[in-house]
Amino acid sequence: MKKTLLLFLLALLPSFADAQLINAYIDSLETVLKTAQPDTARVNTLADLADAYSGNDPDKVILYATRSLELAEAAGYKKGVAAALLISGGAFEDKAEYVEAITRYRNALKISQEAGDKTGEAAAFNNIGIVYEHQGNFADALKNYLAALAINEKTGDKSGQAYNLTNIGNIYLAQSNYPEALKSQEAALVLLEKTGDKYAIANAHNNISIIQKNRGNYSSALENIQIALDLNVELELRSGEANCLEGLGGILYDQGNYEEALDNYFASLKIAQELGAKSSIASVSQAIGATYTALHRFTEAGQYLQDALVLSQTIGSLEQITNCYESLYQFENEQGHYREALDYHLLYIANRDSLLSNESAKKTAQQKMQFDFDKKEAAAQLEQEKKDAVAAEESKRQTILLVVFIAGFVVVLLSAVVFFRQRNNIAKEKKRSDGLLLNILPAEVAEELKEKGSADAQHIDQVTVLFTDFKGFTQLAERLSPRALVAEINECFSAFDAIMEKYGVEKIKTIGDAYMAAGGLPTPNKTHASDVVKAALEIQQFMQQHKTEKAAGGEPFFEIRIGIHTGPVVAGIVGVKKFQYDIWGDTVNTASRMESSGETGKVNISETTYRLVNHTFNCSPRGNIAAKGKGEIAMYFVDGVR
């Protein structure tokens, strides 16, 4: 459930407490319309009327928005044209007429950009993203949501930011990335509680309910869906009420309460049919069919599932078609019709793979990582510009003082002597700084930084990331003096640094007692996975020998866990002082989970890395292991070189 962002703030109606006030508002607009002159006021009134019917009567929305559009075009009122296109596009979207909806949104985007209207531009980007999401094109949906979010952050539009965060959360939800989805929805809710926008608050609670349901947290799911339902009923927003009833039915279904689930589904279906909301009709019909299958009422199940499939194919919703095929597979399988079940299962797999293709997921991750990097880089650049301005002013003052004090031949001679000494010192310091720079940055990045004053971010398709962590570090730290503790860590990390250099692996950073490195960057190569695994095995060997030596002397010792994963990252430098070369992306998070899900003294790798190195190393499969925030992941222990 999404709210179309509009040009006119009044159209959002955030201050209305109940439907009676909304109806009174509509009546007042009708009265104004009868006396308004054919100018911008009449255009705005028609647009407000159109939006007042949003979510309840798409045909009236189109009627009033079309009249507003015609008057705005005749008057050359660009903001009015864009607003009418956005509002009417939302109605076509509700009717699942996506081609017409996205055409209107794109026209609104073009006109808003020409008029310099940032609010309209952000709204258009957001709504284009919604249509792409309906069609299962998550990468392009996220691209447009992020464009809208960037504009709203720049203009300080908190309400707009909340809508964008809600929609970004929906992308992560569609890809089953529940931690990121929940983070986005909760961030949106914090902003919305400040704006008091009840519609959007209901939307956020509805989305949080879906996330919690999918995570099996039914008490939280029920609590959030009830809040959303109560708000939609209070506002008499019938499309929102239908969505909440369908969501409530889904929670009851998952808990095995099929009869109550059907009651809510049918209540939702009735509203959707009255509104002519084809997408909702298809979705809830599929849910009803699946519930009848669970009850072994196969005649009713088959009827609703086929109706849902036909309607989903008509509106071109890839996600809903995929859901229908999955339910039809269960329907045929429960009846023992295994040949038909297999046919539907193959169709489900084909559509699911198309919906969540590797290329789409890769593009989605790349866009989000680049957006996060650009925000950090922009903040650092702004800070540096402020410092440069202060430095320029200071330089100007110093120049004046220098002119005043340079007087006569003696001063000139002394200045010359000082100059030559400083030049020699500068040369020495430059050599020293170059050495220090190479200690903290890869050579290629350091050269780019010296030449340009900055280094561009890189998206690298495949690198292998290594994490290590010392077991029982806190307990051991309590037994050692601070000096001894630092010396012990330094001894281990110095050895790790030498190992990384030996295998051409780039050390990224240390975080407390954790050590992070990566192979295949900044210059991509084909041996990164085996290079990192070789380095990990040598770290393992070093730590075993170190443990033996410490134990022989009766001294405390560290034990280590090592985790490795391969995937795409964004790499680059953030900041203009105390440079830090770093990497971002889900690959880093998964590598960390490989470490925390491993065992002491073992090298634990993901299936992605295993596929790249199994011909070189002997590995023991561990099966699917639960990893925090990632679900179950196939993992392997590396036993040694073949």
Side-chain angles (χ1 to χ4, degrees), residues 469-493 513 543 546-547 550-551 554-560 600:
D469 193 51
F470 293 129
K471 177 190 175 185
F473 176 80
T474 302
Q475 292 82 355
L476 190 60
E478 293 173 354
R479 299 169 56 191
L480 294 172
S481 68
R483 183 186 297 273
L485 179 64
V486 171
E488 181 71 10
I489 294 174
N490 181 63
E491 182 178 356
C492 292
F493 283 175
D513 62 317
M543 292 302 298
H546 191 65
K547 173 183 175 181
K550 290 288 183 180
E555 300 178 53
F557 52 82
F558 287 133
E559 292 186 286
I560 197 167
T600 303

Side-chain angles (χ1 to χ4, degrees), residues 142 146 149 168 172 180 183-184 362-374 570:
L142 182 60
L146 291 173
L149 179 60
I168 290 169
Y172 286 120
E180 287 296 326
K183 185 193 300 182
S184 291
K362 170 184 162 185
K363 190 175 179 183
T364 298
Q366 178 182 351
Q367 289 166 349
K368 180 61 168 64
M369 288 187 292
Q370 189 64 49
F371 179 79
D372 289 343
F373 180 87
D374 288 345
V570 164

